[in-house]
Amino acid sequence: MERKIRALHLIDSFDLGGAQTAICQFLDHRDRNKIDVVLAACHGNKRSVFLPRVRELGCEVVCLSPFRWLPLYCLTLPWLIATRRFDVVHCHLFVSNWTGKILAKIFRVPVIISHDHSYDRFRFDWAPVRWWDGWSNRCADAIFVISTYIKDSLVRREKLAADKIYVLKNAVASPPKIMRRPKPKLVGAAGRLVGWKNFSRFLKLATHLSKLDSGYRFILAGDGPLAAELKAEAQKLGLGERILWPGVVPNLEGFYSEIALLVLTSDWEDLPMVVLEAFSHRVPTAIVNNNAERSRLQAESLLLAPEADEAQWAEEVQVLLSSPDRIDEMCAAGERLMEEEFSPRRQMRWIEGMYEEMLRKKGIS
């Protein structure tokens, strides 16, 4: 284009989450000579965990409502889209996708992008939500999803055209070089404390590891609706003081520097941000092998059979943590994978190319 592309990136909030991490990674690598970005959150205020980070991106940052449960964005978002003459509206997460795409269509924004970061199944399982999600998706010119599972679900459950859905994997920039001082028997997990993350299996694994060696300790970073339930389960399993619950951690550098192993037990997602960050920090990982994307990580991770019980997992983890040469090989393979496939710079160039191509098709230059 002869001028810069004017793009609005819209997200639900500036609270902690994988989508917020991803959007910071992408926008930090944008071509500033090619694109002017406004980054808006439906709700955000000075207590929002990601607000300081997004302000460092060098773009205009807008909080459309200071309160989560008072949707002032119902007024401020239409005004923003109607008055700023964006070339592209790029929506992330649920509220943004359900409102931003429809408003962008009403106000005739040339290119509308849906970016689907989440595996939450309620939108497919509840008919009214599925209808609204499908209707808003039909307003989009292109839909970016982070896995083939989500693409297949959108095609099957919402009857969307497969040719407008593009798989765009998560990406993580190379972290600052930190001196890792892992505690030899500290095993960690991190993420939203929700059902499909299946942290209950992490707690059962922790119980069996403790039986093998009383020196093991555990950390589960994150918060969510199942926090109290999981803490009660940990007490019932006798983990007690063996497990740390740091809650929401704005920066996981300290987490990665200390843990000896990251465990991923979730049901549906391919490779979430927490795993990619672990690869980047040379942290060994153990991942439940329940989809094709994970199955190919033979060299990069310890793959745990989903049908096996947690006692068997514990024995495999014990063997891995006693094998420093294997851990070195695994971490080196993870670093190579990040360089080859999960570069946010490469993916941002692809996103910008998609903007340009779609705008050309609309006759805008």
Side-chain angles (χ1 to χ4, degrees):
M1 293 183 67
E2 296 177 0
R3 58 173 175 79
K4 288 186 180 181
I5 297 170
R6 297 184 296 268
L8 169 66
H9 280 259
L10 179 66
I11 196 164
D12 289 12
S13 75
F14 292 137
D15 296 332
L16 190 66
Q20 287 82 353
T21 301
I23 198 171
C24 286
Q25 299 273 12
F26 286 133
L27 293 184
D28 194 40
H29 290 86
R30 71 191 186 276
D31 186 341
R32 302 184 188 211
N33 295 316
K34 183 179 291 186
I35 183 169
D36 278 331
V37 170
V38 175
L39 175 57
C42 291
H43 57 85
N45 54 47
K46 63 182 180 181
R47 295 186 300 276
S48 299
V49 174
F50 262 73
L51 188 57
R53 184 170 175 183
V54 298
R55 283 178 170 162
E56 293 175 356
L57 293 171
C59 61
E60 182 180 352
V61 175
V62 179
C63 295
L64 295 165
S65 172
F67 310 108
R68 181 184 294 271
W69 304 116
L70 182 59
L72 296 178
Y73 58 82
C74 291
L75 299 175
T76 52
L77 179 57
W79 178 257
L80 178 68
I81 295 176
T83 59
R84 297 295 291 271
R85 300 183 63 193
F86 294 109
D87 300 303
V88 178
V89 168
H90 189 147
C91 302
H92 308 258
L93 294 179
F94 291 126
V95 174
S96 302
N97 272 308
W98 291 341
T99 57
K101 288 181 296 192
I102 295 170
L103 287 168
K105 193 74 172 179
I106 290 171
F107 291 111
R108 299 184 179 182
V109 174
V111 171
I112 303 168
I113 304 291
S114 176
H115 203 141
D116 202 325
H117 300 267
S118 179
Y119 290 81
D120 287 295
R121 294 175 62 178
F122 73 93
R123 58 185 166 143
F124 299 130
D125 294 340
W126 295 0
V129 178
R130 184 171 65 248
W131 177 85
W132 187 265
D133 195 64
W135 186 49
S136 65
N137 275 328
R138 285 173 174 81
C139 294
D141 297 286
I143 300 170
F144 302 160
V145 298
I146 59 172
S147 77
T148 53
Y149 171 86
I150 299 177
K151 178 176 180 176
D152 293 343
S153 296
L154 290 172
V155 172
R156 186 178 71 255
R157 303 300 300 277
E158 297 186 3
K159 311 302 180 187
L160 299 178
D163 61 0
K164 80 170 188 177
I165 305 174
Y166 302 84
V167 176
L168 181 65
K169 297 177 182 178
N170 281 322
V172 171
S174 298
K177 297 299 181 183
I178 59 173
M179 181 66 69
R180 264 188 37 84
R181 296 184 177 87
K183 299 177 180 178
K185 295 177 182 176
L186 180 62
V187 178
R192 276 196 304 147
L193 304 185
V194 293
W196 60 269
K197 289 286 190 178
N198 214 348
F199 286 123
S200 181
R201 294 204 77 177
F202 174 75
L203 297 179
K204 293 182 177 70
L205 169 64
T207 304
H208 288 287
L209 282 170
S210 297
K211 292 176 182 178
L212 293 176
D213 188 328
S214 61
Y216 278 108
R217 294 295 183 268
F218 309 92
I219 180 169
L220 180 48
D223 200 358
L226 295 187
E229 182 178 322
L230 288 168
K231 289 177 182 178
E233 182 179 357
Q235 288 294 330
K236 188 180 296 185
L237 291 170
L239 292 173
E241 299 301 317
R242 295 180 185 275
I243 186 165
L244 300 173
W245 304 85
V248 173
V249 181
N251 188 320
L252 288 174
E253 298 292 334
F255 172 82
Y256 292 119
S257 72
E258 291 190 346
I259 61 173
L261 180 75
L262 176 83
V263 178
L264 178 72
T265 54
S266 58
D267 292 324
W268 307 315
E269 59 192 340
D270 289 350
L271 297 179
M273 296 294 290
V274 67
V275 169
L276 301 182
E277 290 173 342
F279 287 163
S280 293
H281 286 87
R282 292 186 62 88
V283 176
T285 59
I287 300 175
V288 178
N289 182 16
N290 54 14
N291 60 50
E293 184 69 15
R294 298 182 188 182
S295 294
R296 68 190 184 95
L297 301 178
Q298 301 290 332
E300 295 85 1
S301 185
L302 171 64
L303 299 180
L304 305 170
E307 67 276 7
D309 62 22
E310 291 80 9
Q312 183 176 334
W313 288 0
E315 292 175 0
E316 294 178 41
V317 167
Q318 175 94 324
V319 171
L320 173 65
L321 292 178
S322 302
S323 309
D325 290 343
R326 185 183 175 192
I327 287 175
D328 285 343
E329 292 171 1
M330 181 183 292
C331 292
E335 275 192 316
R336 287 194 299 271
L337 182 70
M338 293 303 300
E339 293 172 2
E340 294 167 2
E341 293 190 27
F342 297 97
S343 162
R345 181 181 298 276
R346 183 181 301 129
Q347 294 194 7
M348 192 63 204
R349 295 293 84 78
W350 181 86
I351 291 172
E352 291 164 350
M354 288 290 291
Y355 290 172
E356 290 178 321
E357 180 182 347
M358 287 185 283
L359 286 167
R360 278 196 300 268
K361 288 180 178 179
K362 299 290 181 74
I364 297 172
S365 60

